[in-house]
Coordinates of all heavy atoms in Angstrom, one line a residue:
M231 N 28.0 21.1 21.1 CA 28.9 20.2 20.4 C 28.5 20.0 19.0 O 29.4 20.0 18.2 CB 28.8 18.8 21.2 CG 29.4 18.8 22.5 SD 31.1 19.0 22.7 CE 31.8 17.7 21.9
Y232 N 27.2 20.0 18.7 CA 26.8 19.7 17.3 C 27.2 20.9 16.4 O 27.6 20.6 15.2 CB 25.3 19.5 17.2 CG 24.9 18.2 17.8 CD1 24.1 18.0 18.9 CD2 25.2 17.0 17.0 CE1 23.7 16.8 19.4 CE2 24.8 15.8 17.6 CZ 24.1 15.6 18.7 OH 23.7 14.5 19.1
S233 N 27.1 22.1 16.9 CA 27.5 23.3 16.1 C 28.9 23.3 15.8 O 29.4 24.1 14.9 CB 26.9 24.6 16.7 OG 27.5 24.8 17.9
H234 N 29.7 22.6 16.6 CA 31.2 22.6 16.4 C 31.8 21.3 15.9 O 33.0 21.0 16.0 CB 31.9 22.9 17.8 CG 31.5 24.2 18.4 ND1 32.1 25.4 17.9 CD2 30.5 24.6 19.3 CE1 31.5 26.4 18.5 NE2 30.6 25.9 19.4
Q235 N 30.9 20.4 15.4 CA 31.4 19.1 14.9 C 32.6 19.2 14.0 O 33.5 18.3 14.0 CB 30.2 18.4 14.2 CG 29.2 17.9 15.1 CD 28.2 17.1 14.4 OE1 28.3 16.1 13.8 NE2 26.9 17.7 14.5
G236 N 32.6 20.2 13.1 CA 33.7 20.3 12.1 C 35.0 20.5 12.7 O 36.0 20.3 12.1
E237 N 35.0 21.0 14.0 CA 36.3 21.3 14.6 C 36.8 20.1 15.4 O 38.0 20.1 15.9 CB 36.0 22.4 15.7 CG 35.5 23.6 15.0 CD 35.0 24.7 16.1 OE1 35.4 24.5 17.3 OE2 34.3 25.6 15.8
I238 N 36.0 19.1 15.6 CA 36.4 17.9 16.4 C 37.0 16.9 15.5 O 36.4 16.4 14.6 CB 35.2 17.4 17.2 CG1 34.6 18.5 18.0 CG2 35.6 16.2 18.0 CD1 33.2 18.1 18.6
T239 N 38.2 16.4 16.0 CA 38.9 15.2 15.3 C 39.1 14.1 16.3 O 39.0 14.3 17.5 CB 40.2 15.7 14.7 OG1 41.1 16.0 15.8 CG2 40.0 16.8 13.8
A240 N 39.5 13.0 15.9 CA 39.9 11.9 16.8 C 41.0 12.4 17.8 O 41.0 12.0 18.9 CB 40.3 10.6 16.1
E241 N 41.9 13.2 17.3 CA 43.1 13.6 18.0 C 42.7 14.6 19.1 O 43.4 14.6 20.1 CB 44.2 14.2 17.1 CG 44.7 13.2 16.2 CD 43.9 12.8 14.9 OE1 43.1 13.6 14.5 OE2 44.1 11.7 14.4
N242 N 41.7 15.5 18.9 CA 41.5 16.5 19.8 C 40.1 16.3 20.5 O 39.6 17.3 21.3 CB 41.5 18.0 19.2 CG 40.3 18.2 18.2 OD1 39.3 17.5 18.1 ND2 40.4 19.3 17.5
A243 N 39.4 15.2 20.3 CA 38.1 15.0 20.9 C 38.0 15.2 22.4 O 37.2 15.9 22.9 CB 37.5 13.7 20.5
K244 N 38.9 14.7 23.1 CA 38.9 14.8 24.6 C 39.1 16.2 25.1 O 38.4 16.7 25.8 CB 40.0 13.9 25.2 CG 39.7 12.4 25.1 CD 40.9 11.7 25.8 CE 40.7 10.2 25.5 NZ 41.8 9.4 26.1
A245 N 40.1 16.9 24.4 CA 40.3 18.3 24.8 C 39.1 19.2 24.4 O 38.7 20.1 25.1 CB 41.5 18.8 24.0
K246 N 38.4 18.9 23.2 CA 37.3 19.7 22.8 C 36.1 19.4 23.7 O 35.4 20.3 24.2 CB 36.9 19.4 21.3 CG 37.8 19.9 20.3 CD 37.8 21.5 20.3 CE 38.6 22.1 19.2 NZ 38.6 23.6 19.2
L247 N 36.0 18.2 24.1 CA 34.9 17.9 25.1 C 35.0 18.7 26.4 O 34.2 19.3 26.8 CB 34.8 16.4 25.4 CG 33.7 16.0 26.4 CD1 32.3 16.3 25.9 CD2 33.9 14.5 26.7
A248 N 36.3 18.7 26.9 CA 36.5 19.4 28.2 C 36.4 20.9 28.0 O 35.9 21.5 28.8 CB 38.0 19.1 28.6
E249 N 36.8 21.4 26.8 CA 36.7 22.8 26.5 C 35.1 23.2 26.5 O 34.8 24.2 27.1 CB 37.3 23.1 25.2 CG 37.1 24.6 24.6 CD 37.7 24.7 23.2 OE1 38.7 24.0 22.9 OE2 37.1 25.5 22.5
Y250 N 34.3 22.5 25.8 CA 32.9 22.8 25.6 C 32.2 22.6 27.0 O 31.3 23.4 27.4 CB 32.2 22.0 24.6 CG 32.9 22.3 23.2 CD1 33.1 21.2 22.4 CD2 33.1 23.6 22.7 CE1 33.7 21.5 21.1 CE2 33.7 23.8 21.5 CZ 34.0 22.8 20.7 OH 34.5 23.0 19.5
V251 N 32.5 21.6 27.7 CA 31.9 21.3 29.0 C 32.2 22.4 30.0 O 31.4 22.9 30.7 CB 32.3 20.0 29.5 CG1 32.0 19.7 31.0 CG2 31.7 18.8 28.7
T252 N 33.5 22.8 30.0 CA 33.8 23.9 30.9 C 33.2 25.2 30.5 O 32.8 25.9 31.4 CB 35.4 24.1 30.8 OG1 36.0 22.8 31.2 CG2 35.8 25.2 31.8
S253 N 33.0 25.5 29.2 CA 32.3 26.7 28.7 C 30.9 26.8 29.2 O 30.4 28.0 29.2 CB 32.5 26.9 27.2 OG 31.6 26.0 26.6
V254 N 30.3 25.7 29.6 CA 28.9 25.8 30.1 C 28.9 25.4 31.6 O 27.9 25.0 32.2 CB 28.0 24.9 29.3 CG1 27.8 25.4 27.9 CG2 28.4 23.5 29.3
N255 N 30.0 25.7 32.2 CA 30.1 25.6 33.7 C 29.7 24.2 34.2 O 29.1 24.0 35.3 CB 29.3 26.6 34.4 CG 29.8 28.0 34.0 OD1 31.0 28.3 34.0 ND2 28.8 28.9 33.8
Q256 N 30.2 23.2 33.5 CA 30.0 21.8 34.1 C 31.4 21.1 34.5 O 32.4 21.6 34.0 CB 29.3 21.0 33.0 CG 27.9 21.4 32.6 CD 27.0 21.4 33.8 OE1 26.9 20.4 34.5 NE2 26.3 22.5 34.1
D257 N 31.3 20.1 35.1 CA 32.5 19.4 35.6 C 33.1 18.6 34.4 O 32.7 17.5 34.2 CB 32.2 18.6 36.8 CG 33.3 17.9 37.5 OD1 34.4 17.8 36.9 OD2 33.2 17.5 38.7
A258 N 34.2 19.1 33.9 CA 34.9 18.4 32.8 C 35.4 17.0 33.2 O 35.4 16.1 32.4 CB 36.0 19.3 32.2
A259 N 36.0 16.9 34.4 CA 36.6 15.7 34.8 C 35.4 14.6 35.0 O 35.6 13.4 34.5 CB 37.3 15.8 36.2
K260 N 34.4 15.0 35.5 CA 33.3 14.0 35.7 C 32.7 13.6 34.3 O 32.5 12.4 34.1 CB 32.2 14.7 36.5 CG 31.0 13.8 36.9 CD 30.0 14.5 37.8 CE 28.9 13.6 38.2 NZ 27.9 14.3 39.0
I261 N 32.5 14.5 33.4 CA 31.9 14.2 32.1 C 33.0 13.5 31.3 O 32.6 12.5 30.6 CB 31.4 15.4 31.4 CG1 30.2 16.0 32.1 CG2 31.1 15.2 30.0 CD1 29.6 17.2 31.7
G262 N 34.2 13.8 31.4 CA 35.3 13.0 30.8 C 35.4 11.5 31.2 O 35.5 10.7 30.4
A263 N 35.2 11.4 32.5 CA 35.2 10.0 33.0 C 34.0 9.2 32.5 O 34.1 8.0 32.2 CB 35.2 10.1 34.6
C264 N 32.9 9.9 32.4 CA 31.7 9.2 31.8 C 32.0 8.9 30.4 O 31.6 7.8 29.9 CB 30.5 10.1 32.0 SG 29.0 9.5 31.3
A265 N 32.5 9.7 29.6 CA 32.8 9.6 28.2 C 33.8 8.3 28.0 O 33.7 7.6 27.0 CB 33.4 10.8 27.6
E266 N 34.7 8.1 29.0 CA 35.7 7.1 28.9 C 35.2 5.7 29.4 O 35.9 4.8 29.3 CB 36.9 7.6 29.7 CG 37.7 8.6 29.0 CD 38.4 8.3 27.7 OE1 38.9 7.1 27.6 OE2 38.3 9.1 26.7
A267 N 34.1 5.8 30.2 CA 33.7 4.6 30.8 C 33.2 3.5 29.7 O 32.6 3.8 28.7 CB 32.5 4.8 31.7
P268 N 33.5 2.3 30.0 CA 33.2 1.1 29.1 C 31.7 1.1 28.9 O 31.2 0.8 27.7 CB 33.7 -0.2 29.8 CG 34.7 0.3 30.7 CD 34.3 1.8 31.0
E269 N 30.9 1.4 29.9 CA 29.5 1.4 29.7 C 28.9 2.3 28.7 O 28.0 2.2 28.0 CB 28.7 1.7 31.1 CG 29.2 0.8 32.2 CD 30.4 1.4 32.9 OE1 30.5 2.6 33.2 OE2 31.2 0.5 33.2
T270 N 29.7 3.5 28.6 CA 29.3 4.6 27.7 C 29.5 4.0 26.2 O 28.6 4.1 25.4 CB 30.1 5.8 27.9 OG1 29.8 6.2 29.2 CG2 29.7 6.9 26.9
A271 N 30.6 3.4 26.0 CA 30.9 2.8 24.7 C 29.9 1.7 24.3 O 29.4 1.6 23.2 CB 32.3 2.2 24.7
T272 N 29.5 0.9 25.2 CA 28.4 -0.1 25.0 C 27.2 0.5 24.6 O 26.4 0.1 23.7 CB 28.2 -1.0 26.3 OG1 29.5 -1.6 26.6 CG2 27.2 -2.0 26.1
R273 N 26.7 1.6 25.3 CA 25.4 2.2 25.0 C 25.6 2.8 23.7 O 24.6 2.9 22.9 CB 25.2 3.3 26.1 CG 24.8 2.7 27.3 CD 24.4 3.8 28.4 NE 23.1 4.4 27.9 CZ 22.6 5.5 28.5 NH1 23.2 6.1 29.5 NH2 21.5 6.0 28.1
I274 N 26.7 3.4 23.3 CA 26.9 4.1 22.0 C 26.7 3.1 20.9 O 26.1 3.2 19.9 CB 28.2 4.9 21.8 CG1 28.0 6.1 22.8 CG2 28.5 5.3 20.4 CD1 29.3 6.8 23.0
Q275 N 27.4 1.8 21.1 CA 27.3 0.8 20.1 C 26.0 0.3 20.0 O 25.5 0.0 18.8 CB 28.3 -0.3 20.4 CG 29.8 0.1 20.3 CD 30.1 0.7 19.0 OE1 29.7 0.1 17.9 NE2 30.8 1.7 18.9
K276 N 25.2 0.2 21.0 CA 23.9 -0.3 20.9 C 22.9 0.7 20.2 O 22.0 0.3 19.3 CB 23.2 -0.5 22.2 CG 23.7 -1.8 23.0 CD 23.1 -1.9 24.3 CE 23.5 -3.2 25.0 NZ 23.0 -3.4 26.4
S277 N 23.1 2.0 20.4 CA 22.5 3.1 19.7 C 22.8 3.1 18.2 O 21.9 3.2 17.3 CB 22.8 4.5 20.2 OG 22.3 4.6 21.5
I278 N 24.0 2.8 17.8 CA 24.4 2.7 16.4 C 23.8 1.5 15.8 O 23.3 1.6 14.6 CB 26.0 2.7 16.3 CG1 26.5 4.1 16.7 CG2 26.4 2.3 14.8 CD1 28.1 4.0 16.8
A279 N 23.8 0.4 16.4 CA 23.2 -0.8 15.9 C 21.6 -0.6 15.6 O 21.1 -1.0 14.6 CB 23.4 -2.0 16.8
L280 N 21.0 0.1 16.6 CA 19.6 0.3 16.4 C 19.3 1.4 15.3 O 18.4 1.1 14.5 CB 19.0 0.9 17.8 CG 17.6 1.2 17.8 CD1 16.6 0.1 17.5 CD2 17.1 1.9 19.1
A281 N 20.1 2.3 15.1 CA 20.0 3.3 14.1 C 20.2 2.6 12.7 O 19.5 2.9 11.7 CB 21.1 4.5 14.2
N282 N 21.1 1.7 12.6 CA 21.4 1.0 11.4 C 20.2 0.1 11.0 O 19.8 0.0 9.9 CB 22.7 0.1 11.5 CG 23.9 1.0 11.4 OD1 23.9 2.1 11.0 ND2 25.0 0.5 12.1
Q283 N 19.7 -0.6 12.1 CA 18.5 -1.4 12.0 C 17.3 -0.6 11.3 O 16.6 -1.1 10.5 CB 18.2 -2.1 13.2 CG 17.0 -3.1 13.1 CD 16.7 -3.7 14.5 OE1 17.4 -3.5 15.5 NE2 15.7 -4.5 14.6
A284 N 17.2 0.6 11.9 CA 16.0 1.5 11.4 C 16.4 2.3 10.2 O 15.6 3.1 9.8 CB 15.7 2.4 12.6
N285 N 17.5 2.1 9.6 CA 18.0 2.8 8.4 C 18.1 4.3 8.7 O 17.8 5.1 7.8 CB 17.1 2.6 7.2 CG 17.2 1.2 6.7 OD1 18.3 0.5 6.6 ND2 16.0 0.5 6.5
V286 N 18.5 4.7 9.8 CA 18.7 6.2 10.2 C 20.1 6.5 9.6 O 21.1 5.8 9.9 CB 18.6 6.4 11.7 CG1 19.1 7.7 12.0 CG2 17.2 6.0 12.2
T287 N 20.2 7.6 8.9 CA 21.4 7.9 8.3 C 21.7 9.4 8.6 O 22.9 9.9 8.2 CB 21.3 7.8 6.7 OG1 20.3 8.7 6.2 CG2 21.2 6.4 6.2
S288 N 21.0 10.0 9.4 CA 21.3 11.4 9.8 C 20.5 11.8 11.1 O 19.6 11.0 11.5 CB 20.9 12.4 8.8 OG 19.4 12.4 8.6
T289 N 21.0 12.7 11.8 CA 20.4 13.2 13.0 C 20.0 14.7 12.8 O 20.8 15.4 12.1 CB 21.3 13.1 14.3 OG1 22.5 13.8 14.0 CG2 21.6 11.6 14.5
P290 N 18.8 15.0 13.3 CA 18.0 14.2 14.0 C 17.1 13.4 13.1 O 16.9 13.9 12.0 CB 17.2 15.2 14.9 CG 17.2 16.4 14.1 CD 18.5 16.5 13.5
T291 N 16.5 12.3 13.5 CA 15.5 11.6 12.7 C 14.4 11.2 13.7 O 14.6 10.7 14.8 CB 16.1 10.3 12.2 OG1 17.1 10.5 11.2 CG2 15.0 9.5 11.5
L292 N 13.3 11.6 13.3 CA 12.0 11.5 14.1 C 11.2 10.4 13.4 O 11.1 10.4 12.2 CB 11.2 12.8 14.1 CG 9.8 12.8 14.7 CD1 9.9 12.6 16.2 CD2 9.2 14.1 14.4
F293 N 10.5 9.5 14.2 CA 9.6 8.5 13.5 C 8.2 8.8 13.9 O 7.9 9.0 15.0 CB 10.1 7.0 14.0 CG 11.3 6.6 13.3 CD1 12.6 6.9 13.9 CD2 11.3 6.0 12.2 CE1 13.7 6.4 13.3 CE2 12.3 5.5 11.5 CZ 13.6 5.7 12.1
V294 N 7.3 8.7 13.0 CA 5.9 8.8 13.2 C 5.3 7.6 12.6 O 5.2 7.2 11.5 CB 5.3 10.1 12.4 CG1 3.8 10.1 12.6 CG2 6.0 11.3 12.8
N295 N 5.0 6.7 13.6 CA 4.3 5.4 13.3 C 5.1 4.6 12.4 O 4.7 4.0 11.4 CB 2.9 5.5 12.8 CG 2.1 4.3 13.0 OD1 2.4 3.4 13.8 ND2 1.0 4.2 12.2
G296 N 6.5 4.6 12.5 CA 7.4 3.8 11.7 C 8.0 4.6 10.5 O 8.8 4.0 9.8
R297 N 7.4 5.7 10.2 CA 7.9 6.4 9.0 C 8.9 7.4 9.5 O 8.6 8.3 10.3 CB 6.8 7.1 8.2 CG 5.8 6.2 7.7 CD 4.9 6.9 6.6 NE 4.0 7.9 7.3 CZ 3.4 8.8 6.6 NH1 3.4 8.8 5.4 NH2 2.7 9.7 7.3
G298 N 10.1 7.4 9.0 CA 11.2 8.2 9.3 C 11.0 9.7 8.7 O 10.7 9.8 7.5
V299 N 11.3 10.7 9.5 CA 11.4 12.0 9.0 C 12.8 12.5 9.5 O 13.0 12.7 10.6 CB 10.4 12.9 9.7 CG1 10.4 14.4 9.2 CG2 8.9 12.3 9.5
A300 N 13.7 12.7 8.5 CA 15.1 13.0 8.8 C 15.3 14.5 8.7 O 14.6 15.2 7.9 CB 16.0 12.3 7.8
G301 N 16.2 14.9 9.5 CA 16.6 16.4 9.5 C 15.9 17.1 10.6 O 14.9 16.7 11.2
S302 N 16.3 18.4 10.7 CA 15.7 19.3 11.7 C 14.3 19.7 11.2 O 14.0 19.8 10.0 CB 16.5 20.6 11.8 OG 17.9 20.3 12.3
I303 N 13.5 19.9 12.2 CA 12.0 20.3 11.9 C 12.0 21.8 12.1 O 12.2 22.3 13.2 CB 11.1 19.6 12.9 CG1 11.2 18.0 12.8 CG2 9.7 20.1 12.7 CD1 10.9 17.5 11.5
N304 N 11.9 22.4 10.9 CA 11.8 23.9 11.1 C 10.4 24.3 11.4 O 9.5 23.5 11.1 CB 12.2 24.5 9.7 CG 13.7 24.2 9.4 OD1 14.6 24.3 10.2 ND2 14.0 23.7 8.2
P305 N 10.2 25.6 11.8 CA 8.8 26.0 12.1 C 7.8 25.9 10.9 O 6.7 25.5 11.0 CB 8.9 27.4 12.5 CG 10.3 27.5 13.0 CD 11.1 26.5 12.3
Q306 N 8.4 26.1 9.7 CA 7.5 25.9 8.5 C 7.2 24.5 8.2 O 6.3 24.2 7.4 CB 8.2 26.7 7.2 CG 9.6 26.2 6.9 CD 10.7 27.0 7.6 OE1 10.5 27.4 8.8 NE2 11.7 27.3 6.9
D307 N 7.9 23.5 8.8 CA 7.6 22.1 8.5 C 6.6 21.6 9.5 O 6.1 20.5 9.4 CB 8.9 21.3 8.8 CG 10.0 21.6 7.7 OD1 9.6 22.0 6.6 OD2 11.2 21.5 8.1
Y308 N 6.3 22.4 10.6 CA 5.4 22.0 11.7 C 4.1 21.5 11.1 O 3.6 20.5 11.5 CB 5.2 23.1 12.6 CG 4.2 22.7 13.7 CD1 4.6 21.9 14.7 CD2 2.9 23.2 13.7 CE1 3.7 21.5 15.7 CE2 2.1 22.8 14.7 CZ 2.4 22.0 15.6 OH 1.5 21.6 16.7
D309 N 3.5 22.3 10.2 CA 2.1 21.9 9.7 C 2.1 20.6 9.0 O 1.2 19.7 9.1 CB 1.6 23.0 8.8 CG 1.1 24.2 9.5 OD1 0.8 24.1 10.8 OD2 1.1 25.3 9.0
A310 N 3.2 20.3 8.2 CA 3.3 19.0 7.5 C 3.5 17.9 8.6 O 2.9 16.8 8.4 CB 4.4 19.0 6.5
L311 N 4.3 18.1 9.5 CA 4.5 17.1 10.6 C 3.2 16.9 11.3 O 2.8 15.7 11.6 CB 5.6 17.5 11.5 CG 6.0 16.6 12.7 CD1 6.5 15.2 12.1 CD2 7.0 17.1 13.5
K312 N 2.6 17.8 11.7 CA 1.3 17.8 12.4 C 0.3 17.0 11.6 O -0.5 16.1 12.1 CB 0.7 19.2 12.7 CG -0.6 19.2 13.5 CD -1.0 20.6 13.8 CE -2.3 20.6 14.5 NZ -2.8 22.0 14.8
S313 N 0.2 17.3 10.2 CA -0.7 16.5 9.3 C -0.4 15.0 9.3 O -1.2 14.2 9.3 CB -0.7 17.1 8.0 OG -1.2 18.4 8.0
M314 N 0.9 14.8 9.3 CA 1.4 13.3 9.3 C 1.0 12.6 10.5 O 0.4 11.5 10.6 CB 2.9 13.3 9.2 CG 3.4 11.8 9.1 SD 5.2 11.8 9.1 CE 5.6 12.5 7.5
V315 N 1.1 13.3 11.7 CA 0.7 12.7 13.0 C -0.8 12.5 13.0 O -1.3 11.4 13.4 CB 1.2 13.5 14.1 CG1 0.6 13.1 15.5 CG2 2.7 13.5 14.2
Q316 N -1.5 13.5 12.6 CA -3.0 13.4 12.6 C -3.5 12.3 11.7 O -4.4 11.6 12.0 CB -3.7 14.7 12.2 CG -3.5 15.8 13.3 CD -4.0 17.1 12.9 OE1 -4.0 17.5 11.7 NE2 -4.4 17.9 13.8
Y317 N -2.9 12.2 10.5 CA -3.2 11.0 9.6 C -3.0 9.8 10.3 O -3.8 8.8 10.2 CB -2.4 11.2 8.3 CG -2.6 10.0 7.4 CD1 -3.7 10.0 6.6 CD2 -1.7 9.0 7.4 CE1 -3.8 8.8 5.7 CE2 -1.9 7.8 6.5 CZ -3.0 7.8 5.8 OH -3.1 6.7 4.9
E318 N -1.9 9.5 10.9 CA -1.5 8.3 11.5 C -2.5 8.0 12.6 O -2.9 6.8 12.9 CB -0.1 8.3 12.0 CG 0.9 8.3 10.9 CD 0.8 7.1 10.0 OE1 0.4 6.0 10.4 OE2 1.3 7.2 8.8
L319 N -2.8 9.0 13.4 CA -3.8 8.9 14.5 C -5.2 8.4 13.9 O -5.9 7.5 14.5 CB -3.9 10.1 15.3 CG -2.8 10.4 16.3 CD1 -3.0 11.8 16.8 CD2 -2.7 9.4 17.4
T320 N -5.6 9.1 12.9 CA -6.9 8.7 12.2 C -6.9 7.3 11.7 O -7.8 6.5 11.9 CB -7.1 9.6 11.0 OG1 -7.2 11.0 11.5 CG2 -8.5 9.3 10.3
Q321 N -5.7 6.9 11.1 CA -5.6 5.5 10.6 C -5.7 4.5 11.8 O -6.2 3.4 11.7 CB -4.4 5.3 9.8 CG -4.3 6.1 8.5 CD -5.4 5.7 7.6 OE1 -5.6 4.6 7.3 NE2 -6.2 6.7 7.2
A322 N -5.0 4.9 12.8 CA -5.0 3.9 14.0 C -6.3 3.8 14.7 O -6.7 2.7 15.1 CB -4.0 4.4 15.1
T323 N -7.2 4.8 14.7 CA -8.4 4.7 15.4 C -9.5 4.1 14.5 O -10.5 3.7 14.9 CB -9.0 6.1 15.8 OG1 -8.9 7.0 14.8 CG2 -8.0 6.6 17.0
A324 N -9.2 4.1 13.2 CA -10.1 3.6 12.1 C -10.0 2.0 12.2 O -11.0 1.4 11.6 CB -9.9 4.1 10.8
K325 N -9.0 1.4 12.8 CA -8.9 0.0 12.7 C -9.6 -0.7 13.7 O -9.9 -0.3 14.8 CB -7.4 -0.4 12.8 CG -6.6 0.1 11.7 CD -5.2 -0.3 11.7 CE -4.4 0.3 10.5 NZ -3.0 -0.1 10.6

C-alpha cells in the first residue's frame, strides 16, 4: 500500500484496498469490513491524536528515549542509530 500511495484517492480507496488485498491472496471482503468498522475509525483517530501529541509529521518515525528519528532507516544509518541507543542506555545506567 505504501508504495502505491500516489495512486490512492478518496474516490478509489475502497477499490484500491480490495485490489491490493486480493493481489496478496487475502480476503478482500473481510479486510474491507474491518476497514469500514467504526472501531477501526476510532483506533485511527486515537493514533492520529497520539502522533500529533508527539509531533510526528512523517512515517516511519522511531523514538529513542523520547527523541524522534523520522524517516526510513537505511543500512548506512544503522551505526548512527546504534550509537544513539547506546548513548541513551549509558545515560540511563549512569543515573
Side-chain angles (χ1 to χ4, degrees):
M231 294 294 297
Y232 286 111
S233 62
H234 298 282
Q235 288 181 61
E237 302 168 17
I238 302 169
T239 65
E241 293 78 24
N242 72 8
K244 290 179 187 178
K246 287 292 184 180
L247 177 61
E249 177 184 326
Y250 298 134
V251 167
T252 303
S253 74
V254 292
N255 299 317
Q256 297 300 309
D257 185 339
K260 185 175 180 179
I261 292 176
C264 178
E266 293 292 322
E269 306 84 48
T270 302
T272 300
R273 288 183 68 187
I274 291 169
Q275 291 306 315
K276 285 181 181 179
S277 290
I278 291 170
L280 181 60
N282 288 336
Q283 182 181 0
N285 295 317
V286 172
T287 58
S288 64
T289 58
T291 298
L292 172 71
F293 285 89
V294 178
N295 201 20
R297 292 192 303 166
V299 180
S302 298
I303 304 299
N304 298 313
Q306 55 268 41
D307 299 329
Y308 175 76
D309 288 333
L311 181 61
K312 183 177 177 182
S313 294
M314 181 186 290
V315 170
Q316 288 175 331
Y317 172 80
E318 293 299 334
L319 288 170
T320 302
Q321 294 301 306
T323 56
K325 293 180 182 179

